Amino acid sequence: MTMVGRENESAAVLGLTSGVLILTGEPGAGKSTLLGLAADRHPGRVLRMTGSESEANLTFAGLHQLLRPVLGETAGLSARQRSALLGAIGLAEAEPHDTGLAEAEPHDTGLADTKPHDTDLAEAEPSGVDSGHGGPPDRLLLGVALLTLLSDLARRSPVLVVADDLQWIDAGSLELLAFAARRIDDEPLAVLAAARDTAGEGGTRDGATAPFSGFPLLTLGPLDATAAGLLLDRQPHPPTGRGRLRILDQAAGNPLALVELARANGTCAADSADSAEGELLPPTDRLMRVFAADLEALPETTRQALLLVAADDRAVAGRVEALAPAEAAGLLRLTGGGHDGWRARFRHPLIRSAIYHSAPLAARRQAHRDLAALLSAEPDRRAWHLAAAAEGPDEEIAAALEESAARARERGGYTAATTALERAAELSPGRRDRARRLVAAAGAAVSTGQPHWVRRLAARAAELTDDPALSAEASLRVGQVLTLSTEHDTALSLLLRAAEDPGLRRVALASASVAGFYSGDEEYRLAVRARAQDDLWTLAVTDPTAHRSERVAAIPALVERADGDPARLISLGAMAWLLDETALAVRIFDDALHRWRLGGTLPIGLGCSAGWAYLDHGLWAQARTAAVNSNSAGAGLPHLDAAARSLEAAALALTGRTDEARTAGSAALALVDPHRSRAVAVRARWALGMAGVADGDHVGAYQQFRLLFTADGDPVHYACSFPGVAELAAAAVRTGHGAEAAAIVERTADRLAEDPSPRIRILIHRARALLEPSRAEAHFAAALAEPTGGQWPFERAQLLLDHAEWLRRRHRITEARHQLNTALETFRRLGARPWIDRTQAELRAAGIESAPTSPDALTSLSPQQQHIIRLAAQGLSNREIGERLFLSPRTVGSHLYRSFPKLGVTARSQLRDLIEASCPS
């Protein structure tokens, strides 16, 4: 039986067998009823997670609900995954069935615990950032563990995960569920969730359901007049006359309002059309007044018990009998009992709100005090109840909240820590303690990636104190989070101000160098470099071309001193990449990211700097994976999203998917101001230029490459512009701009003459060879003679193709054929389709009629499939690959099954030889 007026919606939820569907709508629209319908009809296992306002700040409370029925099934996970899951919900390994009331603390929003540096360059700096090996659990490991568990369950029978009231599910649980949901493949695993449409409401956490952005939505709008009338007719006491018209008018198509108003109307002996109840009220207020009216008929003991469970829905123990009349009245349902304890589940969240807010303030505070008295063994829950009961500043409660925040941070709960510290500040009697806790809250909020929150906390602290140390730290925190945004100028100004504090100087300058890199502003770059003193990392970021050899030589020692700390290694990988030590950068990034997954916490994305290193090194599938993982996933960080889009655009352009590349590149430029975020803008323009080259649009390509340099020929970005110098020359030759390009090439060569990298030497030689055909041979020979040129396989193949074209035009056909065949093999292996076509055309012109050559079979796979194949070739099991790529073992196996026929292999043992034949030199 479907719901009245919800026939299409009922069909949609009942037809969901795999994938994700999110129901949205105002309170009372029927979301929970549809979820219940789907759960009742589901042929397999149903797991539930229901948001609760009282648990919105409790770490992994939702995860605990979800896992409680299947704790025994975790035995099939790897030891690391099982330990992570049980640890996250507060269960010791030896006590898998301990499901006490408070297993977790107020907690976090996301899968990223690092300091908020955009993952485009450095998530943490080796200079001054203490990033130990301990810390909160790796939430990506938790995500993989949850995905693996759900996938294993789905292998035995279909699984439906039902998540109600997403807006009240604690943020960590929400993000883990979203993480798993995004990786559902074609298995019989479905996630059906419901979230309140919060437009115009102020009580819901801003952005709470952001992790589920991008999933298919089914919005439950108001019922039409016919359906609303039919629903009224099905009530026990169908209203008629003026009362019916009033109900239809005030309910405005809201199913719950129709039912409840009809119920209220049926219990009234007199027509109340002219009473206050007949006035037009906002829907939420109207329903709350209806729900609160139900309380008057209940015994006083029941109302008192209801207030307690409204304040904390686990406060049922010892009150079951008192709550029985409320359950009989349909206000709530009591579940559990036994070892797990009782729990109250209200028929609708508005009932809970009505119960709580209908009580006088003094009664609500007393309820929280009573609950706190019962929770001496649960300090975090107790602290929050004491805070809710507080009538004014109270240092003891503030200190308890501060301790709770510390525990939340240890478990990766930065949002919960921020919330606790902010409330602790409000309860602090002393102005300095209030300011200190607000600054600490801003520090925790930095890792949530929410600039507005950090700014607000810092501003409130500034109003309370003029303490130089606190002011400097507040500036540091705001500057750090703004590095993720497009406000690089403001970030730099604040970070340089914070650097005036001796205790913060190194970390502030390290953060400032990252912001300066993104900005590309010369004035700020020079200001940071002047203060860097002997900090090699900051010097390399602010000026990667000066004293390059000296800084390259220092990298091994810095790696050794990093002692396996993945945060420091990520930064050193970025340093190596900036210094054009691409092969070394890739090795460092691989090691760092692997270590990070195994023993630490991953940032928001895997790092665009790693992605660009992979791209330069010919690992284009890994580059696209890095781009996807660097996206801020609805966090509202345009610079981070633009960086990811520009990297994706580059990878798409090189493989010939030029329409998609232009879409991604244009989107990147639209997200930022190109004059204020030069690093992203230059990379996006390089990608758009390569799309032009791929399509043979040399005029368009030249226009894009020319924008990498100023009108005077200086680089728009002090590091990112130079890799485009040879492409500028190639496009200029074909469009009649040779003189202009030659001037820029020589200006670049002069600027980098002191200590150029091998890559820059190769690019300059290629550019000169193209621009000066009469002197080209020496330049081609010098470029090809560079011993480390194989680090950049695509650029080397381009060089070979250019040289072959030059040789063929001089009738040196035999030499040209050799260069062309070598270039073709590289382009084929990389999947560079436009360059394959161009090289084959040159071969035909050189007298070789070869059959059309398709790209390497490996490049015909999706980026994710390519990555899976490479890891399988290294001998990793499906579970190990799943942990690295955040996929279920079942999904890994499915990708392998589909990929083997395309690769012409029948066993994993054949993959190593296939990969060795396809890897860049």
Side-chain angles (χ1 to χ4, degrees):
M1 178 178 177
T2 57
M3 298 165 56
V4 175
R6 300 292 190 208
E7 290 78 13
N8 293 336
E9 294 87 345
S10 297
V13 300
L14 291 174
L16 182 69
T17 58
S18 181
V20 184
L21 180 63
I22 311 297
L23 307 182
T24 65
E26 66 176 352
K31 303 182 296 297
S32 297
T33 304
L34 282 170
L35 295 186
L37 176 67
D40 290 343
R41 300 279 190 87
H42 187 70
R45 172 169 263 165
V46 178
L47 300 177
R48 295 179 182 269
M49 180 190 290
T50 302
S52 168
E53 191 168 358
S54 69
E55 295 187 351
N57 287 319
L58 295 178
T59 309
F60 299 129
L63 182 66
H64 184 275
Q65 287 184 52
L66 191 71
L67 297 182
R68 183 163 32 186
V70 292
L71 286 175
E73 310 288 347
T74 61
L77 299 175
S78 68
R80 287 180 62 244
Q81 291 181 357
R82 173 181 167 82
S83 176
L85 274 184
L86 296 183
I89 60 176
L91 302 180
E93 181 73 21
E95 300 175 305
H97 299 293
D98 177 11
T99 55
L101 291 185
E103 62 278 27
E105 297 86 19
H107 105 276
D108 180 13
T109 69
L111 294 170
D113 305 326
T114 58
K115 290 162 276 300
H117 296 147
D118 177 314
T119 56
D120 187 26
L121 178 61
E123 288 80 7
E125 301 79 24
S127 52
V129 179
D130 184 8
S131 170
H133 295 286
D138 181 354
R139 278 165 292 164
L140 283 176
L141 175 61
L142 286 175
V144 173
L146 177 60
L147 176 63
T148 302
L149 176 61
L150 295 176
S151 182
D152 286 348
L153 293 171
R155 191 180 309 155
R156 302 170 206 168
S157 67
V159 173
L160 175 67
V161 175
V162 174
D164 201 0
D165 282 323
L166 290 184
Q167 73 278 357
W168 294 128
I169 291 177
D170 65 277
S173 298
L174 195 67
E175 293 220 12
L176 290 181
L177 181 59
F179 176 93
R182 290 185 189 279
R183 288 155 178 82
I184 294 174
D185 199 32
D186 55 359
E187 50 205 316
L189 169 61
V191 175
L192 179 62
R196 186 181 296 183
D197 181 355
T198 58
E201 295 184 32
T204 303
R205 299 170 297 161
D206 291 340
T209 58
F212 275 81
S213 63
F215 284 115
L217 291 179
L218 179 59
T219 300
L220 277 59
L223 299 181
D224 61 28
T226 301
L230 180 59
L231 182 59
L232 285 181
D233 290 339
R234 291 190 178 183
Q235 300 312 303
H237 302 285
T240 60
R242 186 172 182 178
R244 182 183 181 91
L245 294 176
R246 179 166 51 85
I247 291 171
L248 288 170
D249 182 48
Q250 292 195 14
N254 183 291
L256 183 62
L258 287 164
V259 171
E260 295 298 338
L261 290 171
R263 178 170 174 264
N265 184 77
T267 60
C268 294
D271 189 333
S272 61
D274 299 324
S275 72
E277 292 298 329
E279 297 173 1
L280 290 175
L281 299 171
T284 299
D285 292 344
R286 179 168 65 244
L287 291 175
M288 285 182 65
R289 291 180 65 173
V290 170
F291 294 146
D294 293 334
L295 301 178
E296 297 179 3
L298 297 175
E300 176 63 23
T301 55
T302 299
R303 293 202 298 271
Q304 291 176 355
L306 276 173
L307 177 58
L308 288 173
V309 295
D312 190 328
D313 59 12
R314 296 186 178 190
V316 178
R319 301 178 179 86
V320 174
E321 291 185 7
L323 290 168
E327 187 172 27
L331 294 175
L332 52 70
R333 183 161 58 91
L334 301 181
T335 61
H339 184 71
D340 287 344
W342 291 97
R343 193 176 185 120
R345 185 175 183 182
F346 289 88
R347 190 173 79 243
H348 190 277
L350 289 176
I351 296 177
R352 179 182 193 152
S353 296
I355 292 169
Y356 184 80
H357 291 289
S358 66
L361 177 61
R364 298 200 301 268
R365 285 176 172 164
Q366 185 59 51
H368 285 293
R369 281 191 288 269
D370 292 344
L371 289 167
L374 299 173
L375 294 170
S376 58
E378 303 180 40
D380 297 296
R381 194 180 295 273
R382 178 175 181 273
W384 282 103
H385 281 299
L386 288 173
E391 299 182 23
D394 188 311
E395 177 57 30
E396 183 178 348
I397 299 176
L401 283 172
E402 190 169 16
E403 292 172 2
S404 178
R407 288 187 289 271
R409 290 194 71 161
E410 288 175 2
R411 297 184 64 178
Y414 289 103
T415 293
T418 304
T419 304
L421 286 166
E422 186 174 14
R423 180 63 175 142
E426 293 168 355
L427 293 173
S428 300
R431 287 174 63 89
R432 193 182 190 288
D433 280 337
R434 205 176 313 154
R436 175 181 61 79
R437 284 166 174 150
L438 285 170
V439 171
V446 163
S447 293
T448 71
Q450 299 186 49
H452 296 302
W453 199 4
V454 179
R455 272 180 153 163
R456 178 167 59 81
L457 292 166
R460 288 171 58 192
E463 293 172 356
L464 293 169
T465 182
D466 55 3
D467 182 301
L470 287 177
S471 297
E473 186 176 353
S475 294
L476 171 67
R477 300 314 182 190
V478 177
Q480 284 180 324
V481 78
L482 290 183
T483 299
L484 279 172
S485 74
T486 54
E487 299 182 58
H488 303 309
D489 293 347
T490 304
L492 282 158
S493 178
L494 290 168
L495 292 167
L496 291 176
R497 184 189 308 167
E500 295 173 3
D501 184 301
L504 300 176
R505 187 186 69 83
R506 291 177 70 85
V507 65
L509 286 177
S511 296
S513 67
V514 176
F517 178 88
Y518 299 148
S519 167
D521 182 272
E522 276 294 287
E523 180 182 347
Y524 279 118
R525 180 179 76 87
L526 295 174
V528 177
R529 189 182 69 176
R531 302 186 190 194
Q533 297 179 4
D534 60 348
D535 190 309
L536 291 177
W537 189 85
T538 301
L539 287 169
V541 173
T542 53
D543 194 352
T545 61
H547 307 289
R548 178 191 165 277
S549 298
E550 174 186 335
R551 288 162 192 168
V552 168
I555 292 177
L558 292 174
V559 170
E560 183 72 21
R561 277 164 38 194
D563 193 27
D565 179 352
R568 293 174 181 266
L569 290 174
I570 281 284
S571 295
L572 293 173
M575 178 179 175
W577 168 66
L578 281 171
L579 295 173
D580 278 337
E581 291 296 310
T582 305
L584 175 60
V586 166
R587 290 196 298 272
I588 295 174
F589 280 132
D590 282 346
D591 183 32
L593 295 173
H594 180 58
R595 289 175 183 271
W596 219 327
R597 294 184 186 105
L598 288 177
T601 53
L602 281 161
I604 292 173
L606 296 182
C608 280
S609 57
W612 282 98
Y614 290 141
L615 189 89
D616 293 342
H617 203 47
L619 300 171
W620 295 351
Q622 286 176 252
R624 287 198 63 198
T625 299
V628 171
N629 286 319
S630 294
N631 189 284
S632 68
L637 302 172
H639 180 269
L640 178 58
D641 290 339
R645 294 283 186 89
S646 64
L647 174 56
E648 184 180 19
L652 289 167
L654 294 176
T655 53
R657 297 166 63 178
T658 53
D659 288 342
E660 295 172 79
R662 288 190 178 89
T663 298
S666 298
L669 290 172
L671 286 167
V672 298
D673 180 346
H675 302 292
R676 297 166 67 88
S677 296
R678 294 173 179 84
V680 166
V682 163
R683 289 172 182 165
R685 295 198 188 286
W686 185 89
L688 291 171
M690 293 308 295
V693 174
D695 282 343
D697 177 14
H698 300 296
V699 172
Y702 182 78
Q703 290 172 346
Q704 294 295 338
F705 294 132
R706 183 64 183 84
L707 289 171
L708 307 187
F709 298 88
T710 67
D712 295 333
D714 290 324
V716 169
H717 188 277
Y718 65 89
C720 297
S721 290
F722 298 131
V725 69
E727 295 300 338
L728 173 72
V733 168
R734 291 172 169 82
T735 57
H737 294 89
E740 183 179 39
I744 294 174
V745 170
E746 294 312 313
R747 195 177 184 95
T748 298
D750 291 343
R751 185 184 182 107
L752 305 179
E754 178 187 338
D755 190 8
S757 70
R759 184 186 189 187
I760 289 296
R761 288 197 296 267
I762 292 170
L763 293 175
I764 293 292
H765 280 306
R766 180 186 171 213
R768 285 171 169 166
L770 293 170
L771 292 165
E772 306 173 60
S774 62
R775 301 170 56 190
E777 185 148 28
H779 290 302
F780 280 128
L784 291 169
E786 282 286 351
T788 60
Q791 292 182 76
W792 309 282
F794 177 71
E795 292 175 2
R796 186 171 183 84
Q798 285 182 296
L799 180 66
L800 290 167
L801 175 57
D802 289 339
H803 189 202
E805 290 177 338
W806 184 87
L807 289 169
R808 184 184 62 77
R809 290 187 178 96
R810 280 148 186 79
H811 307 292
R812 294 161 63 177
I813 304 300
T814 302
E815 296 172 81
R817 287 173 180 169
H818 174 73
Q819 304 283 54
L820 289 170
N821 283 323
T822 304
L824 180 61
E825 174 58 27
T826 299
F827 290 139
R828 185 188 65 82
R829 173 168 45 79
L830 294 174
R833 298 173 190 271
W835 286 268
I836 292 172
D837 294 341
R838 182 178 153 196
T839 307
Q840 287 182 321
E842 278 296 314
L843 279 168
R844 288 192 294 272
I848 298 178
E849 288 293 339
S850 60
T853 304
S854 61
D856 186 279
L858 188 64
T859 65
S860 68
L861 306 179
S862 70
Q864 188 175 73
Q865 288 172 333
Q866 290 184 49
H867 208 166
I868 289 171
I869 291 295
R870 291 182 186 277
L871 293 175
Q874 296 174 22
L876 274 66
S877 68
N878 287 4
R879 284 189 179 274
E880 291 169 329
I881 295 171
E883 283 198 11
R884 288 205 181 189
L885 300 186
F886 327 125
L887 302 170
S888 72
R890 180 189 178 99
T891 298
V892 172
S894 177
H895 280 305
L896 288 171
Y897 178 80
R898 293 197 294 265
S899 300
F900 275 25
K902 297 179 183 178
L903 298 175
V905 299
T906 57
R908 294 171 89 107
S909 58
Q910 297 172 271
L911 294 177
R912 183 181 295 275
D913 291 341
L914 182 145
I915 293 300
E916 286 179 354
S918 294
C919 24
S921 56

